[in-house]
Amino acid sequence: MNSVFSILAAIGVVIHFIFKYDDILSKLSKRQKFGVFISYFSTILLAGICIYYGGAFLTEPIQNGFIKFFIRLTIVLVTLWLAVSILNQVLHKITKGIFPKIT
């Protein structure tokens, strides 16, 4: 049931993104649209891998639940901050500044 909800949520986010940035996406060439798609996809994939495996690797020897939670939260925040900042730079370069910065 959780996987179905996750898939539906992901599809909903993609549809919302397309409708939100429809005017900007129409200004881009097919090559730029493909680059934006690949950039988003690879960022999500790499951030997910870093959060899942990095969090498990770093918190494996720790027994204290509070410290484990704090380390995992820190990993998530740092990974997302790095992913968004790198994605902003890549999208700016691909779209030549047409695409707005993600906050």
Side-chain angles (χ1 to χ4, degrees), residues 15-66:
I15 291 170
H16 172 70
F17 177 81
I18 290 171
F19 282 123
K20 183 176 181 181
Y21 295 112
D22 185 39
D23 56 333
I24 295 170
L25 289 173
S26 64
K27 295 178 187 177
L28 300 177
S29 67
K30 288 183 180 181
R31 190 173 189 180
Q32 287 175 323
K33 288 178 188 177
F34 182 72
V36 168
F37 172 75
I38 293 297
S39 300
Y40 268 99
F41 183 76
S42 61
T43 300
I44 291 169
L45 184 68
L46 289 174
I49 289 171
C50 288
I51 289 169
Y52 184 78
Y53 289 111
F57 176 74
L58 291 175
T59 59
E60 180 182 346
I62 298 172
Q63 298 297 322
N64 188 332
F66 178 73

